[in-house]
Each structure stands twice: as C-alpha cells, then as structure tokens.
Amino acid sequence: MTRSDAQALIRSLRSAYAATPKNLKIIDLYLAFSVSSALIQVIYMAMVGSFPFNSFLSGVLSCVGTAVLAVCLRIQLNKENKEFKDLAPERAFADFVLCNLVLHLVIINFLG
Amino acid sequence: MSASPSFSPLVLLLITLITLFSSAFFAAAASPSLSPPRGKKILVLLDDIAVKSSHSLYFSSLSSRGYDLDFKLSGDPSASLRHYSHYLYDGLVLFCPSTERFGGSIDQAAILDFVDSGHDLIIAADANASDLIKEIATECGVDFDEDPSAMVVDHLSYAVSEYEGDHTLIVANDFIQADIILGNKKIEAPVLFQGIGHSINPANSLVFKVLSASHAAYSANPNAKLSAPPSLSGSAISLVSVMQARNNARVLISGSLSMFSNRFFRSSVQQYGATIRHQKAGNEQFLTEISKWIFHERGHLQAMNVRHNKAGEVDEPPMYRINDDLEYSVEIYEWSGTSWEPYVANDVQVQFYMMSPYVLKTLSADKKGVFSTSFKVPDVYGVFQFKVEYQKLGYTGLSLSKQIPVRPFRHNEYERFIPTAYPYYGAAFSMMAGFFLFTFVHLYNK
C-alpha cells in the first residue's frame, strides 16, 4: 500500500458517500454526535473513577441507545435495503420516536 | 364544713403543690434507689469454740461494721446455708481448717453452690488442714501443697522472737498493688503468717495473689530433712489469695488461721535482718481492709439506665440507619460501704459490635456517674449490639449488652445531584435535546 493508493481509496469512499441521500446523511451526523458523547463519558469515567456508577451507566446508555435506534431508523429508511422495501417511512419514524421516548424515560429514572 | 366555701379548695391546692414540690426535690437529690449489694448476715463455722474468743478482734471488726455473725461449730447438725431456694446467709466464713465433714446440710457441694449463687466466702486453712478444706480451695482455683505436714518456711524472712523457732512464723510484705483491695492507706508493718502455702495457676484470670511469700520461702515439713527440692518455693507461693468469680462472688483463701488471731494482731514484729521493730503487725489493717473488699464494701459497681438516641433527639429509636450520628450513655455507681456514689474512671469503653467491634469508644464521665459518648454508625447494616465489657482488677465486672438493628438507606435517602456525575446528567439531557432537534430536522428537511 503506497500513499497514492490510500489517497485513491479515501477519494473513492468520499465520492461514494456523497451519493447517499440527504436524510440518511442527517441521521449519520446524529449518530456521530451520539457515539462521540458516549466516548467522552467513558474517558471521563476512566479519569475520575466510577463512583456514581448508575449515573455513568445511565449517561452511556442514553448515548448508545439513541445510536442504536438511529441505526435502526437508517436501515429502515434506506431505499437500497430490499428487506424494508414495503415499509412506509412514516411508520419507521413513528417507531423511532416511541422507542426513544421509552429509552429516555428509563434513563431519567436510572440517572439517580 | 359550711364556713368559707371558697377557702377549702385553696387549701387543697396548696397541699398538693407542697407535696409535688417536696417529692420533686427529694427525687432530684437522691442517688439511685438501689439496695446495698450484699446483706449483713454471715455464718461463721469454727472447729473449736475457743476460736471465737481467740480471734475476737477480727470478729469485732466485722460486727462493728454492722455484720450479724452467727457462730456455729462445723459439725453442728443445725447448720444450713439454704432452705430450699432461699439462702439463709449472705456470707460464709470457714475458720475450721481441720474439719473432715460438716454437719447439717452443709457439704462441699453446698458451699460451692453458695458461691455460685453470688455469695462471698472466706476460707482459712492451717497446718493441719483437712482434705475437705483443700478441695474446696481447689474448686476456687487455689492449690494447696499436697504434703499434709508441709508448712511455709523462710530462713531469711522469719519473725525474730526470744526463742529460735523453726522459722515457720514468717513475715511477709509482698502485697498486691491494688488500692481498691487493700485500701488507700499503705500497710507499713509487715504481716505475720504461720501456716501452709498455696499456688495459683497464672493462666487463671479470676484468681490473684494478695500476699506472696518472699523469694527465699519454700513449702516443706519443718521437722524432717528435705530429701528432694520442694515443689513450691519462692514468690510462687501465695500466702493469701482472692478469687472474684464471674458472677462477682468474692472468695478469700488464706493459708493461716492464726494470722487472724488476737495474738498476731497485737504482736510486735521484727523481720530477721531488719533494724526496725514495728510495734504492731500489719495483720489487723491488712485483714480488715481485705474483708471490706470481700464483702463488697469496696469495688462494687452497678450500671443502670443504658440509653441511646440519635444526635439531637431524646427518645430511643427502634432502629438506626447507616451513617447516622448517635449518642450512648450509661450510669455507673460505686458502693462506698454506706451509699452509692457516682463512679469516676476514664477507661470504660463501649463497643458497637456485630461479630467484631466496628466502633470502640472510651466513654467520658461526668461527676454524676453518667458515662456518655457519641459516634457515627458504620457503613454496614445488620443487627448490632452496644456492648460494655468492663473488667478491672478489684472491681465487679460489668457486662452490658443492648441489641439494635441498623438498616441501609431507603431508596429516597441516597445522595441526589452528585457533582462528579454532572457530565452524565449533561450527556443524558443533551441526548434528549439532540433527539428533539433531530426529529424537527428529519421531518422538515428538503
């Protein structure tokens, strides 16, 4: 692997990604925010110690849970996915919203 | 009375007020209304009625302090310590060293049962002590020399007299260092002793030597040549020992009956090799003071009113929570011979105990006999006990225990809003905000 090969690879990835629809790219942005938030919390716990462990779990779980739900939404909304061809996008979004409501209810309860 | 109808209610009111105030005054001024620790009836068993007069100074020292002495011969068939479950006497003095069998219903088992029920005992053996007396002493933790003809001989510490004796009349001043047993006044003159010696097991924490023999003493037959080294020698020989049982019964065991006699009390004493001659031997002071201790006129503690409460409250809760602050107090009184006085000491400790003490604190005393302290309940839940185990040389043992459960936090008693967890709170709420924004963006893009 030489430098030009790596650059060619990155360029092709970037152009392929540019072809994805806009709403999927918004979901990807939301996903990046969520995962980075989880990573920041893990690094903080590694520095400070896990004293209110339930708070740590609650914070990390809220980030990871929304990430998981966002991934599910993206899968269901992706037109290239043969499996969910007949699923209405409104139905997918409604499921996403309801699951998120339950998740945040649990998170607030466990936050302590 | 028909005269002045408005006068009699006023009189009644005055009378009730006066009685209320006077009773309040008396209640505040009085110490606890506890009874004296021991009664005053003592049975004295003698094997020779002449002992009553030859030891009259010792007996009068007891009766002058209010004891009711009942003299009986040891073979007296009417002698009895108890009538079914009621004990007829509060103390027993055995001045009958040569008695093989007691009369009446008294025997070795009856005497030991008397001590087991908490009563005090004085035993004096002598040169011709019987096996019965020696067995009773063995049950109390004291082992007399098995040789029946042995006496304590000391060639360096004997009492100088006009004739050269066989050095069995010895002089002893190796006392135990305990003011509570021997009194505040130092015993200046040494004590005269003529009798048999005994030893105690050093592992036994209930028995201790009050008067030990000197290093040159040994226990052997004074009239025979020694064929082997004596088994008991030196300061391992105890001349007078006391035992305080776990039920606080006190037993005095002396190897000489003649040390209680008037002849020894009045005699002057000079130790061989010493220059001064004391006009009066220390026997009277020594035996009077030690009898006071034996019959619980000194060194008797009574604890009452164990109280505990949460800091800032007054009543005793049925349960504590972990990390609570609590206060504990107990009142300890000491019998002074005539009244109960507040006990003052700085070494009474309380343990907060569950299988092992989690908290051990020294109680601080105030002048009224109230010992108190405060501490924080440890971070462990379970069923604890407040234990006070006080064993001090010469004092009755205190063993108090009060059980109290300790519960963990209720679900709404945990800490809220912990500063270390602010990032996690922030992350959770930011995710909620992010989700909310995302729904808008997702629905209204394009």
Side-chain angles (χ1 to χ4, degrees):
Chain A
M1 282 290 272
T2 61
R3 161 170 285 189
S4 56
D5 284 340
Q7 280 177 345
L9 185 64
I10 290 170
R11 224 177 296 124
S12 70
L13 278 174
R14 222 192 250 162
S15 58
Y17 186 69
T20 58
K22 191 159 164 228
N23 58 346
L24 293 186
K25 282 201 221 163
I26 292 172
I27 297 180
D28 289 339
L29 195 62
Y30 179 58
L31 211 54
F33 161 63
S34 176
V35 169
S36 64
S37 182
L39 281 175
I40 290 173
Q41 282 178 83
V42 170
I43 293 170
Y44 176 75
M45 196 266 308
M47 287 195 313
V48 167
S50 67
F51 160 50
F53 195 57
N54 56 324
S55 306
F56 162 68
L57 285 180
S58 176
V60 169
L61 184 66
S62 78
C63 301
V64 169
T66 57
V68 166
L69 291 173
V71 164
C72 294
L73 181 67
R74 192 186 197 276
I75 289 172
Q76 288 176 346
L77 289 183
N78 199 348
K79 303 252 180 343
E80 288 168 28
N81 224 331
K82 298 288 178 299
E83 204 178 331
F84 291 102
K85 199 156 51 87
D86 299 325
L87 188 66
E90 291 81 11
R91 167 71 199 276
F93 184 70
D95 283 343
F96 171 74
V97 166
L98 281 172
C99 292
N100 258 307
L101 282 177
V102 171
L103 174 72
H104 284 108
L105 201 69
V106 169
I107 293 301
I108 294 298
N109 189 29
F110 198 56
L111 202 53
Chain B
M1 288 257 297
S2 57
S4 58
S6 62
F7 179 62
S8 35
L10 208 62
V11 172
L12 272 172
L13 182 65
L14 265 171
I15 290 172
T16 45
L17 280 174
I18 288 171
T19 47
L20 269 173
F21 279 126
S22 58
S23 65
F25 172 71
F26 282 128
S31 293
S33 52
L34 297 167
S35 50
R38 289 292 185 272
K40 296 285 197 179
K41 288 169 64 65
I42 297 184
L43 173 63
V44 182
L45 290 179
L46 314 166
D47 54 5
D48 182 357
I49 201 68
V51 170
K52 185 173 172 185
S53 53
S54 68
H55 292 55
S56 62
L57 281 177
Y58 177 69
F59 293 130
S60 67
S61 78
L62 285 178
S63 52
S64 69
R65 295 204 303 275
Y67 289 103
D68 176 17
L69 300 174
D70 190 6
F71 294 91
K72 285 200 157 83
L73 280 178
S74 53
D76 190 341
S78 69
S80 161
L81 287 172
R82 57 188 275 193
H83 179 69
Y84 294 109
S85 63
H86 168 64
Y87 287 93
L88 300 168
Y89 298 98
D90 305 301
L92 177 60
V93 174
L94 292 179
F95 276 1
C96 45
S98 58
T99 305
E100 297 283 347
R101 275 181 68 244
F102 289 107
S105 64
I106 302 184
D107 60 354
Q108 181 185 339
I111 291 177
L112 294 172
D113 165 72
F114 188 71
V115 174
D116 278 341
S117 64
H119 299 94
D120 312 309
L121 174 63
I122 295 182
I123 305 178
D126 214 342
N128 47 358
S130 67
D131 283 338
L132 175 62
I133 295 291
K134 288 188 184 175
E135 267 171 37
I136 296 173
T138 307
E139 291 288 334
C140 295
V142 154
D143 297 310
F144 281 107
D145 196 339
E146 280 168 9
D147 185 353
S149 54
M151 288 180 72
V152 180
V153 179
D154 192 337
H155 295 300
L156 295 182
S157 228
Y158 62 92
V160 168
S161 57
E162 319 75 69
Y163 58 94
E164 181 77 10
D166 52 6
H167 302 172
T168 55
L169 179 62
I170 62 176
V171 155
N173 52 11
D174 188 2
F175 300 107
I176 191 175
Q177 294 298 320
D179 275 354
I180 190 68
I181 300 179
L182 295 179
N184 294 332
K185 226 159 73 81
K186 184 166 147 43
I187 303 178
E188 299 291 344
V191 169
L192 283 169
F193 181 93
Q194 184 170 35
I196 58 179
H198 54 265
S199 64
I200 61 173
N201 187 350
N204 190 340
S205 58
L206 303 174
V207 195
F208 28 96
K209 297 192 283 193
V210 175
L211 183 63
S212 317
S214 78
H215 298 285
Y218 61 93
S219 173
N221 186 346
N223 300 323
K225 233 163 101 101
L226 275 180
S227 53
S231 52
L232 273 181
S233 64
S235 52
I237 298 181
S238 172
L239 306 173
V240 176
S241 307
V242 297
M243 191 267 285
Q244 178 167 279
R246 291 193 181 92
N247 62 354
N248 297 325
R250 293 174 177 166
V251 177
L252 172 76
I253 299 175
S254 161
S256 163
L257 177 56
S258 38
M259 79 185 289
F260 292 85
S261 66
N262 294 356
R263 191 166 61 91
F264 280 38
F265 274 23
R266 292 190 185 121
S267 154
S268 61
V269 57
Q270 179 178 10
Q271 185 179 345
Y272 169 75
T275 45
I276 45 170
R277 182 171 192 90
H278 299 268
Q279 283 308 110
K280 195 162 152 38
N283 290 44
E284 180 163 15
Q285 182 185 357
F286 173 66
L287 292 170
T288 309
E289 292 297 323
I290 209 174
S291 305
K292 284 186 191 167
W293 184 80
I294 290 285
F295 291 121
H296 287 254
E297 287 177 51
R298 252 202 321 260
H300 187 96
L301 299 175
Q302 176 91 354
M304 46 188 269
N305 260 349
V306 171
R307 287 183 44 247
H308 56 89
N309 54 275
K310 233 160 138 167
E313 293 175 16
V314 178
D315 22 293
E316 236 174 59
M319 184 188 277
Y320 284 108
R321 195 206 68 197
I322 59 175
N323 294 339
D324 263 348
D325 290 307
L326 61 78
E327 296 163 352
Y328 175 86
S329 72
V330 62
E331 289 177 29
I332 304 182
Y333 295 99
E334 187 182 0
W335 179 248
S336 69
T338 46
S339 62
W340 290 99
E341 302 296 322
Y343 179 56
V344 177
N346 58 358
D347 55 359
V348 186
Q349 291 179 321
V350 65
Q351 307 173 14
F352 199 55
Y353 175 94
M354 174 167 74
M355 310 284 273
S356 70
Y358 283 80
V359 176
L360 180 69
K361 286 213 86 161
T362 308
L363 297 168
S364 50
D366 73 355
K367 294 290 165 290
K368 302 259 190 49
V370 177
F371 287 77
S372 59
T373 187
S374 61
F375 54 88
K376 204 175 169 72
V377 174
D379 197 4
V380 180
Y381 58 89
V383 178
F384 283 85
Q385 292 173 338
F386 288 107
K387 271 174 106 136
V388 173
E389 300 280 339
Y390 188 62
Q391 315 281 347
K392 194 166 171 173
L393 176 67
Y395 287 91
T396 56
L398 287 180
S399 190
L400 313 167
S401 153
K402 197 156 189 181
Q403 206 175 62
I404 188 81
V406 170
R407 65 164 173 87
F409 282 122
R410 285 202 196 97
H411 73 282
N412 59 354
E413 283 174 346
Y414 287 98
E415 294 172 66
R416 304 293 295 278
F417 312 125
I418 303 168
T420 350
Y422 281 171
Y424 308 127
Y425 304 155
F429 287 115
S430 76
M431 288 316 298
M432 283 170 67
F435 159 68
F436 189 64
L437 281 176
F438 170 76
T439 57
F440 276 112
V441 170
H442 184 265
L443 289 174
Y444 294 114
N445 70 337
K446 245 196 283 303

